Short mmCIF file of all heavy atoms in Angstrom, two decimals:
data_model
loop_
_atom_site.label_atom_id
_atom_site.label_comp_id
_atom_site.label_asym_id
_atom_site.label_seq_id
_atom_site.Cartn_x
_atom_site.Cartn_y
_atom_site.Cartn_z
N GLY H 56 6.55 9.28 16.68
CA GLY H 56 5.75 8.12 16.34
C GLY H 56 4.91 7.65 17.51
O GLY H 56 4.12 6.72 17.40
N GLY H 57 5.08 8.31 18.65
CA GLY H 57 4.24 8.03 19.82
C GLY H 57 2.87 8.67 19.66
O GLY H 57 2.62 9.40 18.69
N LYS H 58 1.97 8.40 20.61
CA LYS H 58 0.58 8.84 20.45
C LYS H 58 0.43 10.36 20.39
O LYS H 58 -0.36 10.88 19.59
CB LYS H 58 -0.28 8.27 21.58
CG LYS H 58 0.10 8.77 22.96
CD LYS H 58 -0.71 8.11 24.06
CE LYS H 58 -0.50 8.76 25.41
NZ LYS H 58 0.88 9.09 25.78
N ASP H 59 1.19 11.08 21.22
CA ASP H 59 1.01 12.53 21.31
C ASP H 59 1.48 13.24 20.05
O ASP H 59 0.76 14.04 19.46
CB ASP H 59 1.75 13.07 22.54
CG ASP H 59 1.30 12.39 23.82
OD1 ASP H 59 0.14 12.56 24.20
OD2 ASP H 59 2.10 11.65 24.43
N SER H 60 2.70 12.92 19.62
CA SER H 60 3.22 13.64 18.45
C SER H 60 2.49 13.19 17.18
O SER H 60 2.37 13.97 16.23
CB SER H 60 4.73 13.44 18.31
OG SER H 60 5.06 12.09 18.15
N SER H 61 1.99 11.95 17.17
CA SER H 61 1.24 11.51 15.98
C SER H 61 -0.07 12.28 15.87
O SER H 61 -0.45 12.72 14.77
CB SER H 61 0.96 10.00 16.08
OG SER H 61 2.17 9.30 16.04
N LEU H 62 -0.75 12.47 17.00
CA LEU H 62 -1.99 13.25 16.95
C LEU H 62 -1.69 14.72 16.62
O LEU H 62 -2.43 15.36 15.86
CB LEU H 62 -2.75 13.15 18.28
CG LEU H 62 -4.13 13.80 18.31
CD1 LEU H 62 -5.07 13.14 17.30
CD2 LEU H 62 -4.75 13.75 19.70
N ALA H 63 -0.58 15.23 17.17
CA ALA H 63 -0.19 16.62 16.86
C ALA H 63 0.06 16.78 15.37
O ALA H 63 -0.36 17.78 14.76
CB ALA H 63 1.05 17.02 17.66
N LEU H 64 0.73 15.80 14.76
CA LEU H 64 0.98 15.88 13.31
C LEU H 64 -0.33 15.87 12.54
O LEU H 64 -0.55 16.68 11.64
CB LEU H 64 1.87 14.71 12.86
CG LEU H 64 2.08 14.62 11.34
CD1 LEU H 64 2.93 15.78 10.83
CD2 LEU H 64 2.73 13.30 10.94
N LEU H 65 -1.20 14.92 12.90
CA LEU H 65 -2.48 14.80 12.18
C LEU H 65 -3.30 16.10 12.26
O LEU H 65 -3.80 16.58 11.25
CB LEU H 65 -3.27 13.63 12.78
CG LEU H 65 -4.58 13.29 12.11
CD1 LEU H 65 -4.72 11.78 12.00
CD2 LEU H 65 -5.78 13.81 12.89
N LEU H 66 -3.37 16.69 13.46
CA LEU H 66 -4.18 17.90 13.63
C LEU H 66 -3.54 19.10 12.94
O LEU H 66 -4.24 19.97 12.40
CB LEU H 66 -4.40 18.18 15.12
CG LEU H 66 -5.28 17.16 15.84
CD1 LEU H 66 -5.20 17.34 17.35
CD2 LEU H 66 -6.73 17.26 15.38
N THR H 67 -2.20 19.14 12.95
CA THR H 67 -1.51 20.25 12.28
C THR H 67 -1.69 20.15 10.76
O THR H 67 -1.89 21.15 10.07
CB THR H 67 -0.01 20.26 12.65
OG1 THR H 67 0.10 20.22 14.07
CG2 THR H 67 0.69 21.49 12.13
N LYS H 68 -1.64 18.93 10.27
CA LYS H 68 -1.85 18.71 8.82
C LYS H 68 -3.28 19.12 8.43
O LYS H 68 -3.50 19.80 7.42
CB LYS H 68 -1.58 17.24 8.49
CG LYS H 68 -1.97 16.80 7.11
CD LYS H 68 -1.16 17.44 6.00
CE LYS H 68 -1.50 16.81 4.66
NZ LYS H 68 -1.18 17.71 3.56
N GLU H 69 -4.24 18.69 9.25
CA GLU H 69 -5.64 19.08 8.96
C GLU H 69 -5.79 20.60 8.97
O GLU H 69 -6.49 21.18 8.14
CB GLU H 69 -6.57 18.50 10.03
CG GLU H 69 -6.85 17.02 9.90
CD GLU H 69 -7.83 16.52 10.96
OE1 GLU H 69 -8.17 17.28 11.90
OE2 GLU H 69 -8.25 15.38 10.86
N PHE H 70 -5.12 21.24 9.94
CA PHE H 70 -5.20 22.70 10.06
C PHE H 70 -4.60 23.36 8.80
O PHE H 70 -5.21 24.27 8.23
CB PHE H 70 -4.44 23.18 11.30
CG PHE H 70 -4.47 24.66 11.50
CD1 PHE H 70 -5.56 25.27 12.11
CD2 PHE H 70 -3.43 25.47 11.05
CE1 PHE H 70 -5.61 26.65 12.28
CE2 PHE H 70 -3.47 26.84 11.21
CZ PHE H 70 -4.56 27.43 11.82
N ALA H 71 -3.43 22.85 8.38
CA ALA H 71 -2.77 23.43 7.20
C ALA H 71 -3.65 23.26 5.96
O ALA H 71 -3.79 24.19 5.15
CB ALA H 71 -1.41 22.77 7.00
N ASP H 72 -4.26 22.08 5.82
CA ASP H 72 -5.12 21.83 4.65
C ASP H 72 -6.38 22.70 4.68
O ASP H 72 -6.90 23.09 3.64
CB ASP H 72 -5.54 20.35 4.61
CG ASP H 72 -4.37 19.45 4.23
OD1 ASP H 72 -3.32 19.98 3.79
OD2 ASP H 72 -4.48 18.22 4.40
N SER H 73 -6.88 22.98 5.88
CA SER H 73 -8.11 23.77 6.00
C SER H 73 -7.85 25.27 5.92
O SER H 73 -8.80 26.06 5.90
CB SER H 73 -8.81 23.48 7.34
OG SER H 73 -9.08 22.13 7.44
N HIS H 74 -6.59 25.66 6.00
CA HIS H 74 -6.25 27.10 5.97
C HIS H 74 -5.21 27.34 4.87
O HIS H 74 -4.07 27.74 5.16
CB HIS H 74 -5.71 27.55 7.33
CG HIS H 74 -6.71 27.44 8.43
ND1 HIS H 74 -7.05 26.24 9.02
CD2 HIS H 74 -7.48 28.39 9.04
CE1 HIS H 74 -7.98 26.46 9.94
NE2 HIS H 74 -8.26 27.74 9.98
N PRO H 75 -5.59 27.10 3.59
CA PRO H 75 -4.61 27.26 2.50
C PRO H 75 -4.06 28.68 2.41
O PRO H 75 -2.94 28.89 1.93
CB PRO H 75 -5.41 26.87 1.25
CG PRO H 75 -6.84 26.98 1.63
CD PRO H 75 -6.91 26.71 3.09
N GLU H 76 -4.86 29.65 2.87
CA GLU H 76 -4.40 31.04 2.81
C GLU H 76 -3.17 31.28 3.68
O GLU H 76 -2.44 32.26 3.49
CB GLU H 76 -5.56 31.99 3.21
CG GLU H 76 -5.90 32.05 4.69
CD GLU H 76 -6.68 30.84 5.22
OE1 GLU H 76 -6.99 29.91 4.42
OE2 GLU H 76 -6.97 30.80 6.43
#
Side-chain angles (χ1 to χ4, degrees):
Chain H
K58 64 184 189 316
D59 303 294
S60 61
S61 295
L62 186 62
L64 174 68
L65 184 138
L66 292 168
T67 308
K68 170 66 173 157
E69 284 183 351
F70 180 83
D72 288 348
S73 303
H74 296 77
E76 74 285 359

